[in-house]
Structure formats: structure tokens, C-alpha cells
Amino acid sequence: MTRKTRTDAEDNRRRILSVARASFASEGLDLPMREIARRVGLGIATVHRHFPSRADLVTAALTEHVAACRADMRAALDDPDPWRALSGVVRRFAEHRLRDRGLNEALFGSHPAAAAFASDRREQARALRRLVDRARAAGVVRDDIGVDDVRVCLAAIASYRLTPRPAAGLHRLVDLLLTGLTGLTADHQLSADQRLPADQRLPAGTVRTPPVRP
């Protein structure tokens, strides 16, 4: 292989990965490889030379993003505030729904093309359980809340139909779901904020950390 050929091959690989990341983020992991090849402007055979299977392409495209999510979850586990840690994970999941659908499918779904991330999925599941157990023990979520309930919340976020301007609606959904976990009503949260000085009130749409129950 000549130096020019090697450079061309490396350039093609970078282009394929760039398009694949953007496509998986917006359309999910089921996008056909032939369509990715078309968007890159290469033949499908060229794409397959670099990535023989969809799983190879998904793994290469998402590895850095999965590593970042792994670090985020470790940070949540290290957060001394149980509610901030748990609610932050739910909110980040919602942000991924808006900006990186493929990443959520890889880490919280069971897409066969994301098999390389199976250990990460198991670790994310264990970490989420720890966050929920810690929040319940601290009294910042309802006594009857378990990890399966939080998974229902994540499923609701994952199934949210994106509209031309989806952020406001999805953020409202997340606020409602988090309110359900705490058992505090929106009115209760509002009245609590109104009693605070103006410069200490939470921004509109923010779910207040619930008080610890005795």
C-alpha cells in the first residue's frame, strides 16, 4: 500500500465514522449501512472493507461516547447528593434522546449491533440500581420507588415522539416524571419556591430536591 493509498483509506474511515455518528445520533442504530455509504459518497464495498459488519461500525462510532457516559455515571455515584445524582442521570438520558438516539439504544436498549457494549449496559444497570437505592434510603424519593420505576421513566423518555421543536415538551415530561418519583406535587414545589427571596428561587421548570423524610 502506497503512502497516498494509506492516506486515502484513513480519510475514508474518518468520513465514514463522522457520518455514522451523526446518522446514528439522529436516526438510531437501524439505519442501513448502504444509506451511510450513500451519505459519505462511497461504495458499500468500501464501507465494508473498513467495517465488515454493522456491529463493527456501531462499536467504532460510539466507543468514545460510551466512555463519556461511563465517566458521567461514575461522577453520579460519587455525588454526595442522592437526588441530584439520580435526577441528573434521568435528565442526561433525556438530552441524549434529543441529540444522540443511538447512544441510548446502545446503553439502555438491547440492540444486537451494540453487543460490544453489553458489559457497559450491565454496569449502567447496576449503577442505576445503586442510585435509586441510595435516593430511597435518603428519603428523597417515595418509599415505593424502585429501579424498575425509574426504568419506566427512561422508557417514556425514549419513546417520546420528537417534533420540530421537541426540547420544551421533553423537558416538561422529565419534570413531571421526576415529580412522580418524589411524591411532591408541582403546586407544592411552586409554593415552596414562592416563599424564598427572588434571588434564591429555582428557574422555572426545575424540580426541587425534596426534603428528607424522618
Side-chain angles (χ1 to χ4, degrees), residues 2-71:
T2 67
R3 182 173 182 177
K4 182 180 184 306
T5 303
R6 184 167 56 251
T7 300
D8 288 346
E10 291 171 353
D11 182 60
N12 284 342
R13 179 183 174 86
R14 283 193 294 269
R15 289 166 57 202
I16 294 167
L17 284 175
S18 177
V19 169
R21 288 186 183 112
S23 300
F24 291 152
S26 61
E27 299 171 61
L29 302 182
D30 285 325
L31 190 70
M33 290 184 70
R34 187 173 297 278
E35 175 59 18
I36 291 174
R38 186 193 68 78
R39 296 179 185 185
V40 179
L42 296 172
I44 186 64
T46 301
V47 174
H48 278 300
R49 277 198 297 273
H50 289 278
F51 306 100
S53 70
R54 178 190 300 278
D56 295 321
L57 180 56
V58 167
T59 300
L62 296 185
T63 291
E64 291 182 6
H65 292 175
V66 169
C69 284
R70 196 182 303 130

Short mmCIF file of all heavy atoms in Angstrom, two decimals, residues 2-71:
data_model
loop_
_atom_site.label_atom_id
_atom_site.label_comp_id
_atom_site.label_asym_id
_atom_site.label_seq_id
_atom_site.Cartn_x
_atom_site.Cartn_y
_atom_site.Cartn_z
N THR A 2 0.68 2.13 -0.98
CA THR A 2 1.46 3.35 -1.05
C THR A 2 1.01 4.33 0.04
O THR A 2 -0.05 4.17 0.64
CB THR A 2 1.28 4.03 -2.42
OG1 THR A 2 -0.06 4.48 -2.54
CG2 THR A 2 1.62 3.07 -3.55
N ARG A 3 1.85 5.33 0.25
CA ARG A 3 1.51 6.32 1.28
C ARG A 3 0.21 7.04 0.94
O ARG A 3 -0.62 7.29 1.81
CB ARG A 3 2.66 7.32 1.41
CG ARG A 3 2.43 8.37 2.48
CD ARG A 3 3.67 9.22 2.67
NE ARG A 3 3.47 10.20 3.72
CZ ARG A 3 4.40 11.04 4.13
NH1 ARG A 3 5.61 11.01 3.57
NH2 ARG A 3 4.14 11.90 5.10
N LYS A 4 0.02 7.38 -0.36
CA LYS A 4 -1.20 8.06 -0.77
C LYS A 4 -2.42 7.17 -0.56
O LYS A 4 -3.47 7.62 -0.08
CB LYS A 4 -1.11 8.48 -2.24
CG LYS A 4 -2.36 9.24 -2.72
CD LYS A 4 -2.24 9.65 -4.17
CE LYS A 4 -3.44 10.50 -4.60
NZ LYS A 4 -4.72 9.83 -4.33
N THR A 5 -2.28 5.89 -0.90
CA THR A 5 -3.39 4.96 -0.72
C THR A 5 -3.76 4.85 0.75
O THR A 5 -4.94 4.82 1.12
CB THR A 5 -3.04 3.59 -1.28
OG1 THR A 5 -2.69 3.72 -2.66
CG2 THR A 5 -4.20 2.61 -1.14
N ARG A 6 -2.72 4.76 1.60
CA ARG A 6 -2.98 4.65 3.04
C ARG A 6 -3.66 5.92 3.55
O ARG A 6 -4.60 5.84 4.36
CB ARG A 6 -1.67 4.41 3.78
CG ARG A 6 -1.85 4.19 5.28
CD ARG A 6 -0.58 3.64 5.91
NE ARG A 6 0.58 4.49 5.69
CZ ARG A 6 1.60 4.20 4.88
NH1 ARG A 6 1.61 3.05 4.21
NH2 ARG A 6 2.61 5.02 4.75
N THR A 7 -3.22 7.08 3.08
CA THR A 7 -3.84 8.34 3.50
C THR A 7 -5.29 8.40 3.05
O THR A 7 -6.17 8.83 3.80
CB THR A 7 -3.06 9.53 2.91
OG1 THR A 7 -1.72 9.49 3.39
CG2 THR A 7 -3.71 10.85 3.32
N ASP A 8 -5.57 7.96 1.82
CA ASP A 8 -6.95 7.95 1.32
C ASP A 8 -7.82 7.03 2.16
O ASP A 8 -8.98 7.36 2.47
CB ASP A 8 -6.97 7.50 -0.15
CG ASP A 8 -6.43 8.56 -1.09
OD1 ASP A 8 -6.29 9.72 -0.66
OD2 ASP A 8 -6.13 8.22 -2.25
N ALA A 9 -7.25 5.87 2.51
CA ALA A 9 -8.03 4.92 3.32
C ALA A 9 -8.34 5.50 4.69
O ALA A 9 -9.46 5.35 5.21
CB ALA A 9 -7.25 3.61 3.45
N GLU A 10 -7.36 6.16 5.30
CA GLU A 10 -7.59 6.77 6.61
C GLU A 10 -8.63 7.88 6.53
O GLU A 10 -9.47 8.02 7.42
CB GLU A 10 -6.27 7.30 7.17
CG GLU A 10 -5.27 6.20 7.53
CD GLU A 10 -3.90 6.75 7.86
OE1 GLU A 10 -3.69 7.99 7.66
OE2 GLU A 10 -3.04 5.98 8.31
N ASP A 11 -8.57 8.65 5.44
CA ASP A 11 -9.55 9.72 5.25
C ASP A 11 -10.95 9.14 5.07
O ASP A 11 -11.92 9.66 5.64
CB ASP A 11 -9.17 10.55 4.03
CG ASP A 11 -10.14 11.70 3.81
OD1 ASP A 11 -10.28 12.55 4.70
OD2 ASP A 11 -10.77 11.75 2.73
N ASN A 12 -11.06 8.06 4.31
CA ASN A 12 -12.36 7.42 4.12
C ASN A 12 -12.92 6.91 5.44
O ASN A 12 -14.11 7.06 5.72
CB ASN A 12 -12.24 6.26 3.13
CG ASN A 12 -12.11 6.72 1.69
OD1 ASN A 12 -12.44 7.86 1.37
ND2 ASN A 12 -11.62 5.85 0.83
N ARG A 13 -12.06 6.33 6.26
CA ARG A 13 -12.51 5.81 7.56
C ARG A 13 -13.04 6.94 8.43
O ARG A 13 -14.08 6.81 9.06
CB ARG A 13 -11.36 5.08 8.26
CG ARG A 13 -11.73 4.54 9.64
CD ARG A 13 -10.54 3.89 10.32
NE ARG A 13 -10.87 3.51 11.67
CZ ARG A 13 -11.44 2.36 12.03
NH1 ARG A 13 -11.74 1.48 11.09
NH2 ARG A 13 -11.72 2.08 13.28
N ARG A 14 -12.32 8.06 8.46
CA ARG A 14 -12.77 9.20 9.26
C ARG A 14 -14.11 9.72 8.76
O ARG A 14 -15.00 10.05 9.56
CB ARG A 14 -11.72 10.32 9.22
CG ARG A 14 -10.52 10.07 10.12
CD ARG A 14 -9.70 11.34 10.27
NE ARG A 14 -9.09 11.73 9.00
CZ ARG A 14 -7.89 11.35 8.60
NH1 ARG A 14 -7.17 10.54 9.35
NH2 ARG A 14 -7.41 11.77 7.44
N ARG A 15 -14.27 9.79 7.46
CA ARG A 15 -15.53 10.28 6.89
C ARG A 15 -16.67 9.34 7.22
O ARG A 15 -17.78 9.78 7.57
CB ARG A 15 -15.38 10.45 5.38
CG ARG A 15 -14.50 11.61 4.97
CD ARG A 15 -14.12 11.52 3.50
NE ARG A 15 -15.31 11.45 2.64
CZ ARG A 15 -15.29 10.95 1.40
NH1 ARG A 15 -14.18 10.45 0.90
NH2 ARG A 15 -16.40 10.96 0.68
N ILE A 16 -16.43 8.05 7.10
CA ILE A 16 -17.48 7.07 7.42
C ILE A 16 -17.90 7.21 8.87
O ILE A 16 -19.10 7.24 9.20
CB ILE A 16 -16.98 5.64 7.14
CG1 ILE A 16 -16.75 5.43 5.65
CG2 ILE A 16 -17.99 4.61 7.67
CD1 ILE A 16 -15.98 4.17 5.31
N LEU A 17 -16.93 7.31 9.79
CA LEU A 17 -17.25 7.41 11.21
C LEU A 17 -17.99 8.70 11.51
O LEU A 17 -18.93 8.71 12.31
CB LEU A 17 -15.98 7.32 12.04
CG LEU A 17 -15.38 5.92 12.20
CD1 LEU A 17 -14.05 5.99 12.94
CD2 LEU A 17 -16.36 5.01 12.93
N SER A 18 -17.59 9.79 10.89
CA SER A 18 -18.25 11.07 11.13
C SER A 18 -19.72 11.01 10.71
O SER A 18 -20.61 11.43 11.46
CB SER A 18 -17.52 12.17 10.36
OG SER A 18 -18.18 13.41 10.51
N VAL A 19 -19.96 10.47 9.52
CA VAL A 19 -21.34 10.37 9.04
C VAL A 19 -22.13 9.37 9.88
O VAL A 19 -23.31 9.62 10.21
CB VAL A 19 -21.36 9.97 7.55
CG1 VAL A 19 -22.77 9.60 7.10
CG2 VAL A 19 -20.80 11.10 6.70
N ALA A 20 -21.51 8.27 10.25
CA ALA A 20 -22.21 7.25 11.04
C ALA A 20 -22.61 7.81 12.40
O ALA A 20 -23.73 7.58 12.87
CB ALA A 20 -21.32 6.02 11.21
N ARG A 21 -21.71 8.54 13.05
CA ARG A 21 -22.04 9.11 14.36
C ARG A 21 -23.24 10.04 14.26
O ARG A 21 -24.17 9.98 15.08
CB ARG A 21 -20.83 9.87 14.92
CG ARG A 21 -19.70 8.97 15.38
CD ARG A 21 -18.60 9.77 16.06
NE ARG A 21 -17.48 8.91 16.43
CZ ARG A 21 -16.28 8.97 15.86
NH1 ARG A 21 -16.04 9.85 14.92
NH2 ARG A 21 -15.33 8.14 16.25
N ALA A 22 -23.21 10.93 13.27
CA ALA A 22 -24.32 11.88 13.11
C ALA A 22 -25.61 11.15 12.76
O ALA A 22 -26.69 11.50 13.27
CB ALA A 22 -23.97 12.91 12.04
N SER A 23 -25.52 10.14 11.91
CA SER A 23 -26.73 9.43 11.47
C SER A 23 -27.32 8.58 12.59
O SER A 23 -28.54 8.56 12.78
CB SER A 23 -26.39 8.55 10.26
OG SER A 23 -25.90 9.32 9.18
N PHE A 24 -26.46 7.88 13.33
CA PHE A 24 -26.95 7.08 14.44
C PHE A 24 -27.56 7.98 15.52
O PHE A 24 -28.55 7.61 16.16
CB PHE A 24 -25.82 6.25 15.05
CG PHE A 24 -25.32 5.14 14.17
CD1 PHE A 24 -24.01 4.70 14.26
CD2 PHE A 24 -26.15 4.53 13.24
CE1 PHE A 24 -23.53 3.67 13.46
CE2 PHE A 24 -25.69 3.50 12.43
CZ PHE A 24 -24.37 3.07 12.54
N ALA A 25 -26.96 9.14 15.73
CA ALA A 25 -27.47 10.07 16.74
C ALA A 25 -28.88 10.53 16.41
O ALA A 25 -29.75 10.60 17.28
CB ALA A 25 -26.54 11.26 16.89
N SER A 26 -29.12 10.83 15.14
CA SER A 26 -30.42 11.40 14.77
C SER A 26 -31.46 10.35 14.41
O SER A 26 -32.66 10.57 14.60
CB SER A 26 -30.25 12.36 13.58
OG SER A 26 -29.73 11.67 12.46
N GLU A 27 -31.01 9.17 13.92
CA GLU A 27 -31.97 8.19 13.39
C GLU A 27 -31.90 6.82 14.04
O GLU A 27 -32.71 5.95 13.72
CB GLU A 27 -31.77 8.06 11.87
CG GLU A 27 -32.02 9.39 11.15
CD GLU A 27 -31.61 9.33 9.69
OE1 GLU A 27 -32.18 8.52 8.95
OE2 GLU A 27 -30.72 10.11 9.30
N GLY A 28 -30.94 6.60 14.93
CA GLY A 28 -30.86 5.32 15.60
C GLY A 28 -29.96 4.34 14.88
O GLY A 28 -29.44 4.61 13.79
N LEU A 29 -29.78 3.18 15.49
CA LEU A 29 -28.80 2.21 15.02
C LEU A 29 -29.29 1.33 13.88
O LEU A 29 -28.51 0.54 13.33
CB LEU A 29 -28.36 1.31 16.19
CG LEU A 29 -27.75 2.03 17.39
CD1 LEU A 29 -27.31 1.02 18.43
CD2 LEU A 29 -26.59 2.92 16.98
N ASP A 30 -30.56 1.45 13.49
CA ASP A 30 -31.09 0.61 12.42
C ASP A 30 -30.85 1.17 11.03
O ASP A 30 -31.21 0.54 10.04
CB ASP A 30 -32.60 0.39 12.61
CG ASP A 30 -32.91 -0.59 13.72
OD1 ASP A 30 -32.12 -1.55 13.89
OD2 ASP A 30 -33.91 -0.40 14.43
N LEU A 31 -30.26 2.34 10.94
CA LEU A 31 -30.01 2.93 9.63
C LEU A 31 -29.15 2.00 8.79
O LEU A 31 -28.09 1.56 9.23
CB LEU A 31 -29.32 4.28 9.79
CG LEU A 31 -29.21 5.11 8.51
CD1 LEU A 31 -30.59 5.63 8.11
CD2 LEU A 31 -28.25 6.28 8.71
N PRO A 32 -29.57 1.66 7.57
CA PRO A 32 -28.81 0.71 6.74
C PRO A 32 -27.41 1.23 6.42
O PRO A 32 -27.20 2.43 6.20
CB PRO A 32 -29.64 0.60 5.47
CG PRO A 32 -31.02 1.02 5.87
CD PRO A 32 -30.83 2.06 6.93
N MET A 33 -26.45 0.32 6.40
CA MET A 33 -25.08 0.71 6.05
C MET A 33 -25.02 1.25 4.63
O MET A 33 -24.19 2.12 4.32
CB MET A 33 -24.14 -0.47 6.24
CG MET A 33 -23.93 -0.84 7.69
SD MET A 33 -22.73 -2.17 7.93
CE MET A 33 -21.19 -1.36 7.48
N ARG A 34 -25.86 0.75 3.75
CA ARG A 34 -25.88 1.26 2.38
C ARG A 34 -26.24 2.74 2.35
O ARG A 34 -25.70 3.51 1.54
CB ARG A 34 -26.87 0.44 1.53
CG ARG A 34 -26.83 0.77 0.05
CD ARG A 34 -27.70 -0.19 -0.74
NE ARG A 34 -27.23 -1.56 -0.64
CZ ARG A 34 -26.25 -2.06 -1.39
NH1 ARG A 34 -25.63 -1.30 -2.28
NH2 ARG A 34 -25.88 -3.32 -1.25
N GLU A 35 -27.14 3.15 3.26
CA GLU A 35 -27.51 4.56 3.33
C GLU A 35 -26.35 5.39 3.87
O GLU A 35 -26.12 6.53 3.41
CB GLU A 35 -28.75 4.73 4.20
CG GLU A 35 -29.17 6.18 4.46
CD GLU A 35 -29.48 6.96 3.19
OE1 GLU A 35 -29.71 6.34 2.13
OE2 GLU A 35 -29.49 8.21 3.26
N ILE A 36 -25.64 4.86 4.83
CA ILE A 36 -24.47 5.57 5.34
C ILE A 36 -23.43 5.73 4.23
O ILE A 36 -22.85 6.81 4.05
CB ILE A 36 -23.87 4.82 6.55
CG1 ILE A 36 -24.84 4.92 7.74
CG2 ILE A 36 -22.50 5.39 6.92
CD1 ILE A 36 -24.43 4.10 8.93
N ALA A 37 -23.21 4.66 3.45
CA ALA A 37 -22.28 4.74 2.33
C ALA A 37 -22.71 5.82 1.34
O ALA A 37 -21.88 6.59 0.84
CB ALA A 37 -22.18 3.39 1.63
N ARG A 38 -24.01 5.90 1.07
CA ARG A 38 -24.51 6.91 0.13
C ARG A 38 -24.24 8.31 0.65
O ARG A 38 -23.82 9.21 -0.10
CB ARG A 38 -26.02 6.71 -0.09
CG ARG A 38 -26.61 7.62 -1.16
CD ARG A 38 -28.13 7.62 -1.13
NE ARG A 38 -28.66 8.25 0.07
CZ ARG A 38 -28.72 9.57 0.24
NH1 ARG A 38 -28.29 10.40 -0.70
NH2 ARG A 38 -29.22 10.08 1.36
N ARG A 39 -24.46 8.51 1.96
CA ARG A 39 -24.24 9.84 2.53
C ARG A 39 -22.77 10.23 2.53
O ARG A 39 -22.44 11.42 2.42
CB ARG A 39 -24.81 9.88 3.95
CG ARG A 39 -26.32 9.71 4.01
CD ARG A 39 -26.86 9.73 5.43
NE ARG A 39 -28.29 9.44 5.44
CZ ARG A 39 -29.07 9.47 6.51
NH1 ARG A 39 -28.53 9.79 7.70
NH2 ARG A 39 -30.36 9.20 6.44
N VAL A 40 -21.91 9.24 2.69
CA VAL A 40 -20.47 9.53 2.65
C VAL A 40 -20.01 9.78 1.22
O VAL A 40 -19.03 10.51 1.00
CB VAL A 40 -19.68 8.37 3.27
CG1 VAL A 40 -18.18 8.64 3.23
CG2 VAL A 40 -20.10 8.13 4.72
N GLY A 41 -20.71 9.17 0.28
CA GLY A 41 -20.28 9.28 -1.12
C GLY A 41 -19.32 8.19 -1.51
O GLY A 41 -18.50 8.36 -2.43
N LEU A 42 -19.41 7.04 -0.85
CA LEU A 42 -18.55 5.90 -1.14
C LEU A 42 -19.41 4.69 -1.49
O LEU A 42 -20.60 4.64 -1.17
CB LEU A 42 -17.68 5.55 0.08
CG LEU A 42 -16.67 6.60 0.54
CD1 LEU A 42 -16.04 6.17 1.85
CD2 LEU A 42 -15.59 6.81 -0.53
N GLY A 43 -18.78 3.71 -2.11
CA GLY A 43 -19.49 2.46 -2.39
C GLY A 43 -19.62 1.64 -1.13
O GLY A 43 -18.81 1.75 -0.20
N ILE A 44 -20.65 0.79 -1.10
CA ILE A 44 -20.87 -0.04 0.09
C ILE A 44 -19.69 -0.98 0.33
O ILE A 44 -19.35 -1.29 1.47
CB ILE A 44 -22.20 -0.83 -0.04
CG1 ILE A 44 -22.51 -1.58 1.25
CG2 ILE A 44 -22.16 -1.77 -1.23
CD1 ILE A 44 -22.75 -0.70 2.44
N ALA A 45 -19.03 -1.41 -0.75
CA ALA A 45 -17.88 -2.31 -0.58
C ALA A 45 -16.75 -1.61 0.17
O ALA A 45 -16.05 -2.23 0.99
CB ALA A 45 -17.39 -2.79 -1.95
N THR A 46 -16.56 -0.31 -0.10
CA THR A 46 -15.53 0.45 0.61
C THR A 46 -15.85 0.53 2.09
O THR A 46 -14.97 0.37 2.95
CB THR A 46 -15.39 1.86 0.01
OG1 THR A 46 -15.07 1.75 -1.37
CG2 THR A 46 -14.31 2.65 0.74
N VAL A 47 -17.11 0.79 2.41
CA VAL A 47 -17.51 0.84 3.82
C VAL A 47 -17.27 -0.51 4.49
O VAL A 47 -16.74 -0.57 5.60
CB VAL A 47 -18.99 1.26 3.94
CG1 VAL A 47 -19.45 1.18 5.41
CG2 VAL A 47 -19.20 2.67 3.40
N HIS A 48 -17.61 -1.58 3.80
CA HIS A 48 -17.43 -2.92 4.39
C HIS A 48 -15.96 -3.29 4.54
O HIS A 48 -15.62 -4.10 5.42
CB HIS A 48 -18.16 -3.96 3.55
CG HIS A 48 -19.63 -4.05 3.85
ND1 HIS A 48 -20.12 -4.36 5.09
CD2 HIS A 48 -20.71 -3.85 3.05
CE1 HIS A 48 -21.44 -4.36 5.06
NE2 HIS A 48 -21.82 -4.05 3.84
N ARG A 49 -15.10 -2.72 3.72
CA ARG A 49 -13.67 -3.00 3.90
C ARG A 49 -13.18 -2.44 5.23
O ARG A 49 -12.32 -3.03 5.89
CB ARG A 49 -12.86 -2.41 2.74
CG ARG A 49 -12.81 -3.30 1.52
CD ARG A 49 -11.67 -2.93 0.59
NE ARG A 49 -11.80 -1.57 0.06
CZ ARG A 49 -12.49 -1.28 -1.05
NH1 ARG A 49 -13.09 -2.27 -1.73
NH2 ARG A 49 -12.56 -0.05 -1.48
N HIS A 50 -13.71 -1.31 5.61
CA HIS A 50 -13.33 -0.71 6.88
C HIS A 50 -14.10 -1.31 8.05
O HIS A 50 -13.54 -1.49 9.15
CB HIS A 50 -13.58 0.80 6.84
CG HIS A 50 -12.64 1.54 5.94
ND1 HIS A 50 -11.37 1.92 6.32
CD2 HIS A 50 -12.79 1.98 4.65
CE1 HIS A 50 -10.78 2.56 5.33
NE2 HIS A 50 -11.62 2.62 4.31
N PHE A 51 -15.38 -1.59 7.82
CA PHE A 51 -16.25 -2.09 8.89
C PHE A 51 -17.07 -3.24 8.32
O PHE A 51 -18.12 -3.03 7.72
CB PHE A 51 -17.17 -0.97 9.39
CG PHE A 51 -16.43 0.26 9.82
CD1 PHE A 51 -16.34 1.37 8.98
CD2 PHE A 51 -15.79 0.31 11.05
CE1 PHE A 51 -15.64 2.50 9.36
CE2 PHE A 51 -15.08 1.43 11.45
CZ PHE A 51 -15.00 2.53 10.60
N PRO A 52 -16.58 -4.47 8.47
CA PRO A 52 -17.23 -5.63 7.84
C PRO A 52 -18.70 -5.82 8.24
O PRO A 52 -19.48 -6.36 7.46
CB PRO A 52 -16.37 -6.80 8.31
CG PRO A 52 -15.03 -6.20 8.59
CD PRO A 52 -15.33 -4.83 9.13
N SER A 53 -19.08 -5.40 9.43
CA SER A 53 -20.46 -5.59 9.87
C SER A 53 -20.98 -4.31 10.50
O SER A 53 -20.22 -3.40 10.85
CB SER A 53 -20.55 -6.72 10.91
OG SER A 53 -19.94 -6.32 12.13
N ARG A 54 -22.31 -4.24 10.65
CA ARG A 54 -22.92 -3.09 11.32
C ARG A 54 -22.39 -2.97 12.75
O ARG A 54 -22.13 -1.86 13.24
CB ARG A 54 -24.44 -3.25 11.35
CG ARG A 54 -25.15 -2.11 12.09
CD ARG A 54 -26.62 -2.45 12.30
NE ARG A 54 -27.27 -2.65 11.03
CZ ARG A 54 -27.73 -1.66 10.25
NH1 ARG A 54 -27.60 -0.42 10.65
NH2 ARG A 54 -28.30 -1.93 9.11
N ALA A 55 -22.20 -4.12 13.43
CA ALA A 55 -21.71 -4.08 14.80
C ALA A 55 -20.33 -3.44 14.86
O ALA A 55 -20.02 -2.70 15.80
CB ALA A 55 -21.67 -5.49 15.38
N ASP A 56 -19.48 -3.72 13.87
CA ASP A 56 -18.15 -3.10 13.85
C ASP A 56 -18.26 -1.58 13.72
O ASP A 56 -17.54 -0.83 14.38
CB ASP A 56 -17.32 -3.65 12.68
CG ASP A 56 -17.02 -5.13 12.83
OD1 ASP A 56 -16.74 -5.56 13.97
OD2 ASP A 56 -17.07 -5.85 11.82
N LEU A 57 -19.16 -1.13 12.86
CA LEU A 57 -19.33 0.30 12.65
C LEU A 57 -19.92 0.97 13.89
O LEU A 57 -19.47 2.04 14.31
CB LEU A 57 -20.23 0.55 11.43
CG LEU A 57 -20.50 2.02 11.08
CD1 LEU A 57 -19.20 2.79 10.88
CD2 LEU A 57 -21.39 2.11 9.85
N VAL A 58 -20.92 0.35 14.48
CA VAL A 58 -21.55 0.91 15.69
C VAL A 58 -20.53 1.02 16.81
O VAL A 58 -20.44 2.04 17.51
CB VAL A 58 -22.75 0.05 16.12
CG1 VAL A 58 -23.21 0.43 17.53
CG2 VAL A 58 -23.89 0.20 15.13
N THR A 59 -19.73 -0.03 16.99
CA THR A 59 -18.73 -0.03 18.06
C THR A 59 -17.72 1.10 17.86
O THR A 59 -17.42 1.86 18.79
CB THR A 59 -18.00 -1.38 18.10
OG1 THR A 59 -18.94 -2.42 18.34
CG2 THR A 59 -16.95 -1.39 19.21
N ALA A 60 -17.23 1.23 16.64
CA ALA A 60 -16.23 2.27 16.37
C ALA A 60 -16.84 3.66 16.51
O ALA A 60 -16.19 4.59 17.02
CB ALA A 60 -15.66 2.09 14.97
N ALA A 61 -18.09 3.83 16.08
CA ALA A 61 -18.73 5.14 16.10
C ALA A 61 -19.06 5.61 17.51
O ALA A 61 -19.01 6.81 17.81
CB ALA A 61 -19.99 5.12 15.24
N LEU A 62 -19.38 4.66 18.40
CA LEU A 62 -19.90 5.05 19.71
C LEU A 62 -18.93 4.85 20.86
O LEU A 62 -19.24 5.24 22.00
CB LEU A 62 -21.18 4.26 20.02
CG LEU A 62 -22.37 4.49 19.10
CD1 LEU A 62 -23.58 3.73 19.61
CD2 LEU A 62 -22.69 5.98 18.97
N THR A 63 -17.77 4.28 20.62
CA THR A 63 -16.86 3.95 21.71
C THR A 63 -16.53 5.16 22.58
O THR A 63 -16.59 5.08 23.82
CB THR A 63 -15.56 3.33 21.16
OG1 THR A 63 -15.85 2.04 20.62
CG2 THR A 63 -14.52 3.17 22.26
N GLU A 64 -16.19 6.29 21.95
CA GLU A 64 -15.84 7.48 22.75
C GLU A 64 -17.04 7.99 23.53
O GLU A 64 -16.90 8.41 24.69
CB GLU A 64 -15.31 8.57 21.83
CG GLU A 64 -13.94 8.26 21.22
CD GLU A 64 -13.43 9.40 20.37
OE1 GLU A 64 -14.08 10.46 20.35
OE2 GLU A 64 -12.38 9.23 19.72
N HIS A 65 -18.22 7.97 22.92
CA HIS A 65 -19.42 8.46 23.60
C HIS A 65 -19.78 7.56 24.79
O HIS A 65 -20.20 8.05 25.84
CB HIS A 65 -20.58 8.53 22.63
CG HIS A 65 -20.41 9.58 21.57
ND1 HIS A 65 -21.30 9.75 20.54
CD2 HIS A 65 -19.45 10.51 21.41
CE1 HIS A 65 -20.89 10.74 19.77
NE2 HIS A 65 -19.77 11.22 20.28
N VAL A 66 -19.62 6.25 24.60
CA VAL A 66 -19.92 5.32 25.69
C VAL A 66 -18.94 5.55 26.85
O VAL A 66 -19.33 5.51 28.02
CB VAL A 66 -19.86 3.86 25.19
CG1 VAL A 66 -19.89 2.87 26.35
CG2 VAL A 66 -21.02 3.59 24.23
N ALA A 67 -17.68 5.79 26.53
CA ALA A 67 -16.70 6.06 27.58
C ALA A 67 -17.08 7.32 28.36
O ALA A 67 -16.93 7.38 29.58
CB ALA A 67 -15.31 6.21 26.97
N ALA A 68 -17.58 8.34 27.66
CA ALA A 68 -18.01 9.57 28.33
C ALA A 68 -19.19 9.29 29.26
O ALA A 68 -19.27 9.82 30.37
CB ALA A 68 -18.38 10.63 27.31
N CYS A 69 -20.13 8.44 28.81
CA CYS A 69 -21.28 8.08 29.65
C CYS A 69 -20.82 7.29 30.87
O CYS A 69 -21.38 7.45 31.97
CB CYS A 69 -22.28 7.26 28.85
SG CYS A 69 -23.26 8.24 27.70
N ARG A 70 -19.84 6.47 30.69
CA ARG A 70 -19.29 5.70 31.81
C ARG A 70 -18.73 6.66 32.87
O ARG A 70 -18.96 6.48 34.08
CB ARG A 70 -18.19 4.79 31.28
CG ARG A 70 -17.78 3.65 32.22
CD ARG A 70 -16.64 2.85 31.60
NE ARG A 70 -16.99 2.32 30.30
CZ ARG A 70 -16.23 2.44 29.20
NH1 ARG A 70 -15.09 3.08 29.26
NH2 ARG A 70 -16.62 1.90 28.07
N ALA A 71 -18.03 7.67 32.40
CA ALA A 71 -17.47 8.66 33.34
C ALA A 71 -18.59 9.46 34.02
O ALA A 71 -18.51 9.76 35.22
CB ALA A 71 -16.53 9.60 32.59
#
